[in-house]
């Protein structure tokens, strides 16, 4: 059983997108998956509702718990029913994010390749310190999301250098580039491997990220 929380105190970096894509791909690979929406806005839950409405298989179990203590107790209660629990922790420094980090095996941090986004890692790094002061076993990875297509090696090098300022966080050299394939698929409650017109680059990037996380 693996609990992955996709979190960043910074908004709009791709937490919901990443959580949904990972949950769907793991379910497609035959794992029993629970997607937890830890955001009041329930964007992930809404996308999964669209998927269910369209009758797309596999169906994804999805629950919304934006209150930290509720999220914690519900995940602990249900965890043995699933192989993977993927938590979209929502934006900001919420109780849901803290609760999710208190349980998770992996914290996966999407961040954008602009300097102010990189500075925003300070907040999440401080939260990692806090969690690690009370428990062991939290692996923490950051990866670049919404990188512009092209210039692969310099993006990776710059991002790795930025993350190196935070010894709490390991840089995962897997990039999801800015591609319409991701936003279009996730908006319809699908992964990039499920849409009619497929983007092979998006599919390959996502596969590489998931392989690195698990
Ligand atoms: N790799 C990508 N390529 C293109 N668009 C993307 C990518 N990742 C995310 N997006 C788009 O960026 C926007 C923000 O993404 P998303 O909602 O996943 O971020 P979030 O971190 O969950 O935001 P919030 O903090 O509001 O919950 C969405 O419109 C989404 O479709
Ligand atoms: Mg979100």
């Amino acid at each position: 059983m693996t609990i992955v929380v996709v979190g960043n105190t910074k908004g709009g970096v791709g937490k919901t997108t990443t959580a949904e894509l990972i949950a769907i791909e793991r379910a497609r690979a035959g794992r029993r998956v629970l997607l937890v929406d830890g955001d009041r806005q329930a964007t992930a839950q809404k996308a999964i509702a669209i998927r269910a409405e369209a009758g797309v298989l596999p169906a994804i179990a999805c629950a919304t718990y934006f209150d930290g203590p509720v999220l914690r107790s519900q995940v602990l209660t249900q965890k043995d029913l699933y192989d993977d629990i993927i938590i979209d922790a929502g934006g900001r420094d919420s109780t849901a994010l803290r609760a999710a980090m208190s349980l998770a095996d992996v914290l996966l941090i999407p961040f954008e390749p602009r300097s102010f986004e990189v500075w925003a890692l300070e907040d999440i790094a401080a939260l990692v310190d806090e969690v690690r002061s009370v428990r062991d076993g939290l692996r923490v990875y950051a990866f670049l999301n919404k990188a512009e297509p092209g210039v692969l090696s310099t993006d990776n090098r710059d991002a790795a250098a930025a993350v190196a300022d935070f010894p709490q966080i390991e840089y995962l050299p897997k990039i999801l580039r800015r591609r319409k394939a991701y936003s279009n698929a996730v908006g319809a409650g699908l992964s990039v491997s499920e849409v009619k017109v497929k983007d092979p680059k998006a599919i390959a990037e996502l596969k590489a990220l998931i392989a690195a996380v698990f």
Side-chain angles (χ1 to χ4, degrees):
M1 216 276 307
T2 310
I3 302 178
V4 177
V5 50
V6 185
N8 192 336
T9 41
K10 179 87 178 64
V13 292
K15 297 179 294 291
T16 302
T17 301
T18 304
E20 199 183 316
L21 290 169
I22 292 177
I24 294 173
E25 288 301 329
R26 295 290 283 180
R28 280 168 60 79
R31 315 267 304 170
R32 293 170 303 169
V33 173
L34 174 65
L35 175 61
V36 173
D37 193 333
D39 192 339
R40 244 166 238 286
Q41 292 170 40
T43 320
Q45 181 75 270
K46 282 171 193 156
I48 294 303
I50 295 171
R51 178 186 183 87
E53 189 73 20
V56 178
L57 296 176
I60 306 293
C62 182
T64 304
Y65 308 117
F66 50 78
D67 175 70
V70 174
L71 184 149
R72 184 180 164 83
S73 66
Q74 281 301 315
V75 169
L76 287 173
T77 302
Q78 298 177 57
K79 69 181 171 51
D80 295 334
L81 301 171
Y82 297 98
D83 300 314
D84 297 332
I85 299 183
I86 314 297
I87 306 174
D88 171 8
R92 300 166 303 280
D93 183 359
S94 65
T95 61
L97 174 59
R98 284 163 181 264
M101 285 174 66
S102 77
L103 300 171
D105 300 293
V106 178
L107 168 64
L108 182 62
I109 308 169
F111 73 105
E112 288 185 52
R114 293 188 301 261
S115 56
F116 68 89
E117 299 282 0
V118 171
W119 294 335
L121 288 174
E122 263 175 42
D123 295 338
I124 191 83
L127 266 183
V128 170
D129 285 340
E130 220 177 275
V131 171
R132 285 189 173 151
S133 72
V134 293
R135 63 165 283 227
D136 297 324
L138 177 67
R139 281 175 281 147
V140 180
Y141 302 127
F143 75 97
L144 210 48
N145 185 33
K146 299 200 219 180
E148 297 307 326
V151 289
L152 186 87
S153 56
T154 52
D155 278 8
N156 250 327
R157 207 181 316 127
D158 293 351
V163 177
D165 288 343
F166 304 95
Q168 306 91 328
I169 304 174
E170 183 180 337
Y171 178 63
L172 215 54
K174 307 291 171 195
I175 298 180
L176 297 191
R177 295 188 172 276
R178 184 186 295 280
R179 301 184 194 280
K180 281 213 173 67
Y182 294 120
S183 38
N184 290 347
V186 165
L190 302 171
S191 176
V192 284
S193 58
E194 296 177 310
V195 292
K196 267 205 200 84
V197 182
K198 294 187 177 41
D199 178 341
K201 287 184 181 161
I203 294 171
E205 283 176 352
L206 178 60
K207 204 175 159 193
L209 174 67
I210 292 173
V213 169
F214 290 91

